[in-house]
Amino acid sequence: MSQFHESILNRLSKSPVIDEGDLDAAARLILEAAMEGLGINRSGIWLYDSDVQDHIRCHLLMDSDMAAPQESLVLAREDFPSYFKALDEDRVIAANDAVNAPETKEFAKGYLDLLGISSMLDTPIRHNGVTVGIICNEHRGKPRQWRPDEIIFSGVLSDLFGRVLNARQRLDYEQQLKSINQNLEEKVAERTRFLDEALAQQKQLQQQLVESEKLAALGGMVSGVAHEVNTPLGVALTATTHLNDQLKKLQQDFSAGAITKTQLQSFIESATEAVDLSHSNLNKAATLISNFKRTSADQNHFEKERIHVSDYVRQVVSTLTPLTKQIPAEVIVIGGDFIVNTYPGAIAQVITNFVSNACIHAFVDGYQDQAKIQIDIQQSKSGDVTVSVKDNGIGMDEATCQKIFNPFFTTRRGEGGTGLGLSIIHTLLTQNLNGSIDVESELGKGTQFKIFFRQ
């Protein structure tokens, strides 16, 4: 590094502003040093908005040729993917020809051309070992070749701003300690009350979310069951009407004394067929209504009960037939040939949400053909229960998998999705069933949820 640069850095490092924790004052001092040491008239400090690092915001911009913009400048990863990719590598971006350099050419139109910027030098700012932003140095005029000593100089300035961030963090901690030490007993009591209220509100909100999802699920089940029951009832009504017509005709022939053995035999055969048809369809409707009454009652009252797991899950699945028929999707239940003492209502809600979630999200964009949901229920020697719910739908990427249990997160917001289904499952498993949930998924290869709970 040149003696000129060393002199600037020595002067800067001795300034008390660096360690006072005033970000704006320190940032201004560092940018002035950058402009002096690199012979440029435009330099800025940019910091990531969050740990996700999808947006970077200008903390301070200095330009000796023009006034800095009043509005907050923000760059988004989706708008400048190549630039952000270069930033992700935590390395220096020395764009001698910024218009054509792969890292910065995305800024050519609408920024570099308007401001006359030809070269850019970005060095990463690190804090606690993590890159939190950059110092962006911009040169106007003919493209320049950034020298190694200039790159090192800018890198040291970035490290100095990391030192500023440490000072700011230390100052924040000191202020927090002072605040805590004042009237400590009163603050502890206040914080305790606050935590108690927050905990009560959280429990109330969770209960409201559970109730909301219950009502939504039950509402869909009521609508679907009503539609599904109409079919067997309609068949039974048609058969009964036909039988009634045949009976009237038989009465007329009997009154006229014109009934024959053949006519009587034909009536008996027709009546038997109509009665059998009515009986089978009415039984189908009665079974559906019985299963619906059982699962809907269970979902409204969470009380422990001994259940035969596979039979109970099949009852729940049968009430979801109206939903799965729309895809259509085949639901297969295997295993579960044992009895456990658990909360049937929670089990019903979990299975309902899993199947509903698959029908809404998994079987789209050409994945409806041969749609299948397999529910595999197993019990360990210790009595713990593992349920695997697997579909052959579209699947999810890793980013989506990390968010699916967050309340109100949904990929179908504009199509009626509430984002509560999987969040409710997570709450029921962790709080009501003392269990856990994992998900494995890959785009194009379906999704598998594994839940685990104890009796």
Side-chain angles (χ1 to χ4, degrees), residues 352-374:
T352 297
N353 286 15
F354 270 138
V355 175
S356 300
N357 189 71
C359 290
I360 294 172
H361 297 281
F363 303 120
V364 294
D365 301 332
Y367 284 84
Q368 295 92 341
D369 295 340
Q370 297 182 341
K372 182 183 294 184
I373 303 171
Q374 181 170 303

Side-chain angles (χ1 to χ4, degrees), residues 211-274:
E211 294 300 326
S212 174
E213 190 66 12
K214 285 182 190 177
L215 292 175
L218 289 175
M221 288 170 61
V222 169
S223 175
V225 167
H227 175 77
E228 196 70 13
V229 167
N230 278 337
T231 300
L233 289 182
V235 173
L237 181 60
T238 301
T240 304
T241 302
H242 174 71
L243 179 60
N244 188 50
D245 291 341
Q246 292 294 314
L247 182 59
K248 289 180 179 178
K249 186 175 183 301
L250 183 65
Q251 288 175 336
Q252 291 174 356
D253 291 341
F254 179 76
S255 299
I259 191 170
T260 65
K261 182 178 180 180
T262 301
Q263 289 175 322
L264 183 59
Q265 182 65 34
S266 176
F267 171 77
I268 292 173
E269 292 175 357
S270 179
T272 301
E273 182 179 352

Side-chain angles (χ1 to χ4, degrees), residues 21-37:
D22 187 339
L23 289 185
D24 293 337
R28 183 172 297 276
L29 201 63
I30 289 174
L31 293 182
E32 288 174 349
M35 295 166 67
E36 178 186 357

Side-chain angles (χ1 to χ4, degrees), residues 129-303:
V130 178
T131 298
V132 296
I134 58 165
I135 291 182
C136 179
N137 304 293
E138 299 169 327
H139 168 77
R140 289 189 174 100
K142 293 182 179 180
R144 65 186 283 178
Q145 186 80 23
W146 298 106
R147 301 192 311 270
D149 62 324
E150 293 175 326
I151 296 174
I152 294 173
F153 173 70
S154 180
V156 175
L157 291 179
S158 292
D159 291 340
L160 274 176
F161 193 75
R163 178 174 146 190
V164 173
L165 292 175
N166 281 331
R168 180 63 189 184
Q169 187 180 62
R170 183 176 65 252
L171 181 63
D172 289 341
Y173 287 157
E174 290 174 355
Q175 291 176 345
Q176 290 174 14
L177 287 174
K178 289 179 182 179
S179 177
I180 291 173
N181 288 332
Q182 293 174 356
N183 303 319
L184 184 58
E185 291 184 0
E186 180 181 346
K187 287 189 174 293
V188 169
E190 180 183 351
R191 181 58 59 88
T192 301
R193 289 194 300 271
F194 172 78
L195 291 176
D196 288 341
E197 291 174 1
L199 182 60
Q201 290 176 357
Q202 182 184 26
K203 289 182 177 179
Q204 183 180 6
L205 178 58
Q206 287 178 338
Q207 187 61 33
Q208 289 174 350
L209 291 178
V210 171
E211 294 300 326
S212 174
E213 190 66 12
K214 285 182 190 177
L215 292 175
L218 289 175
M221 288 170 61
V222 169
S223 175
V225 167
H227 175 77
E228 196 70 13
V229 167
N230 278 337
T231 300
L233 289 182
V235 173
L237 181 60
T238 301
T240 304
T241 302
H242 174 71
L243 179 60
N244 188 50
D245 291 341
Q246 292 294 314
L247 182 59
K248 289 180 179 178
K249 186 175 183 301
L250 183 65
Q251 288 175 336
Q252 291 174 356
D253 291 341
F254 179 76
S255 299
I259 191 170
T260 65
K261 182 178 180 180
T262 301
Q263 289 175 322
L264 183 59
Q265 182 65 34
S266 176
F267 171 77
I268 292 173
E269 292 175 357
S270 179
T272 301
E273 182 179 352
V275 169
D276 290 344
L277 190 60
S278 295
H279 184 264
S280 63
N281 279 275
L282 289 174
N283 272 339
K284 185 185 298 183
T287 299
L288 186 60
I289 291 174
S290 175
N291 289 344
F292 171 73
K293 286 173 61 180
R294 169 70 191 278
T295 56
S296 63
D298 286 342
Q299 290 185 41
N300 276 319
H301 301 90
F302 283 1
E303 295 180 359

Side-chain angles (χ1 to χ4, degrees), residues 317 324-325 327-333 363 368 370-375 390-392:
V317 169
T324 57
K325 284 177 63 176
I327 305 299
E330 180 186 8
V331 183
I332 302 172
V333 180
F363 303 120
Q368 295 92 341
Q370 297 182 341
K372 182 183 294 184
I373 303 171
Q374 181 170 303
I375 303 174
K390 184 177 182 180
D391 66 64
N392 60 347

